[in-house]
């Protein structure tokens, strides 16, 4: 290998989104609005849960953490995407690329595990309503949240360290809008077999296992719901789980389709569109899914605004 081929890469060029130049400004405005909506929507959920004592329950403990995870997850990629859409040279430093990989995996996985905790919460609430407060004790809820943070830290650190050991030579163009692991592995000029094996094994555990646990929970939930004699009881039970099930379907549908399907079958454009679904669209929709038909959130919003109005009048 020549000395030129051994040149250390100090930065990567991000090709970004396949958007025609004439639509660039419109797309920038659209993504900016989507990002601001994501930040505002998730912040409102978090603030309401903190301020309203009626929402200090296991379900909303998990939801506040999920909203924080969604807010941060979107912030890992969106500001850089918006910056690069206005830049002549859409680049990212090598260290920044590794940092983006770490936080992308961290907050993505955190949302993943929180969805499992929320599924378990719904399972206990519907299948064992009389024992709910005993089973979902504050200690268990906090333990589930802490466990989610610990597992995601391990997972994100593992992949980031494995990526840091790779060498990158001449090619530094990433055909994506963020530092995606699969795209980076294709640019590496050192052996990536260890990375690929670890990605497949860990992804199978960290994606398929949580998805299987959620599926099992909902099988039990549906089975219990169908035993309810009244149609009103069935509707109430389904409405309790509908929001969570919508988010689960949106998140896992795109992630499993993108990362566990053979890469040869996915075009770069398809990969980018599917990535946009779970990095941009899902975090933006979650606050609406959980609040539009949620009486508790609406009630908390009214109480907070009424309290604020009374304080201003005084």
């Amino acid at each position: 290998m020549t000395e030129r081929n051994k040149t250390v890469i100090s930065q990567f060029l991000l090709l970004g989104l396949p958007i025609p130049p004439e639509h660039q400004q419109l797309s920038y405005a659209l993504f900016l609005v989507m990002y601001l909506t994501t930040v505002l929507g998730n912040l409102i959920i978090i603030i309401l849960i903190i301020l309203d004592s009626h929402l200090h329950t296991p379900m909303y403990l998990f939801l506040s953490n999920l909203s924080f995870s969604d807010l941060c997850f979107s912030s890992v990629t969106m500001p850089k995407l918006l910056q690069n859409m206005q830049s002549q040279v859409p680049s990212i430093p090598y260290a920044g690329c590794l940092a983006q990989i770490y936080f992308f995996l961290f907050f993505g996985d955190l949302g993943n595990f929180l969805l499992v905790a929320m599924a378990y919460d719904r399972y206990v609430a519907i299948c064992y309503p009389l024992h709910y407060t005993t089973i979902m004790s504050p200690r268990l809820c906090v333990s589930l949240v802490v466990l989610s943070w610990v597992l995601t830290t391990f997972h994100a650190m593992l992949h980031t360290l494995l990526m840091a050991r790779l060498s990158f030579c001449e090619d530094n163009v990433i055909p994506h809008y963020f530092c995606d692991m699969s795209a980076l592995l294709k640019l590496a000029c050192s052996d990536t077999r260890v990375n690929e094996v670890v990605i497949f094994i860990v992804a199978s555990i960290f994606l398929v296992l949580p998805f299987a646990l959620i599926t099992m929970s909902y099988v039990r939930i549906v089975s219990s719901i169908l035993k309810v004699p009244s149609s009103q009881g069935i509707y109430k039970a389904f409405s309790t789980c509908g929001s969570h099930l919508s988010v689960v379907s949106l998140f896992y549908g795109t992630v499993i389709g993108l990362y566990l399907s053979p890469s040869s079958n996915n075009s770069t454009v398809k990969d980018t569109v599917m990535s946009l679904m779970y990095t941009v669209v899902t975090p933006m929709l979650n606050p609406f899914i959980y609040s539009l038909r949620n009486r508790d959130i609406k009630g908390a919003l009214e109480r907070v605004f009424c309290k604020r109005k009374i304080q201003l009048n005084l």
Side-chain angles (χ1 to χ4, degrees), residues 75-92:
S75 298
V76 171
T77 56
M78 286 300 289
K80 189 61 183 175
L81 169 63
L82 292 169
Q83 180 191 347
N84 285 345
M85 288 179 77
Q86 297 294 303
S87 173
Q88 297 296 324
V89 184
S91 62
I92 184 170

Side-chain angles (χ1 to χ4, degrees), residues 6 15 18 20 32 38 45 58 111 115 121 130-131 141 145 164 173 184-185 193 197 199 219 227 233 244 281 293:
K6 290 182 180 179
L15 286 186
L32 179 60
T38 301
I45 296 287
L115 288 175
D121 175 73
L130 300 178
H131 302 284
C141 295
V145 171
V173 180
L184 271 178
L185 287 176
R193 283 176 295 182
V197 170
I199 287 172
V219 168
K227 293 176 184 177
H244 181 254
V281 178
R293 296 180 61 189

Side-chain angles (χ1 to χ4, degrees), residues 17 21 25 34 90-91 104 125 159 190 220-221 239 249 277 312:
L17 301 173
Q25 291 303 317
M34 291 175 74
S91 62
F104 179 85
H159 286 301
S190 54
R220 294 291 300 275
I221 287 171
S239 64
S249 303
M277 281 298 294
L312 288 174

Side-chain angles (χ1 to χ4, degrees), residues 15 41 50 88 135 161-162 180 182-183 191 204 219 226 229 233 243 266 272 281 292 302 307 311:
L15 286 186
I50 292 172
Q88 297 296 324
I135 297 173
L161 291 175
L162 284 174
D180 181 61
S182 58
D191 192 357
S204 300
V219 168
L226 295 178
S243 319
N266 289 336
T272 305
V281 178
L292 288 179
E302 290 173 4
K307 188 176 180 181
Q311 289 175 344

Side-chain angles (χ1 to χ4, degrees), residues 159-195:
H159 286 301
T160 306
L161 291 175
L162 284 174
M163 192 63 67
R165 59 183 277 276
L166 298 180
S167 300
F168 297 92
C169 304
E170 290 183 319
D171 192 0
N172 69 335
V173 180
I174 301 174
H176 220 304
Y177 63 92
F178 68 96
C179 289
D180 181 61
M181 279 200 304
S182 58
L184 271 178
L185 287 176
K186 293 174 183 176
L187 298 182
C189 54
S190 54
D191 192 357
T192 61
R193 283 176 295 182
V194 173
N195 296 66

Side-chain angles (χ1 to χ4, degrees), residues 239-250:
S239 64
T240 303
C241 303
S243 319
H244 181 254
L245 201 54
S246 302
V247 173
V248 167
S249 303
L250 194 60

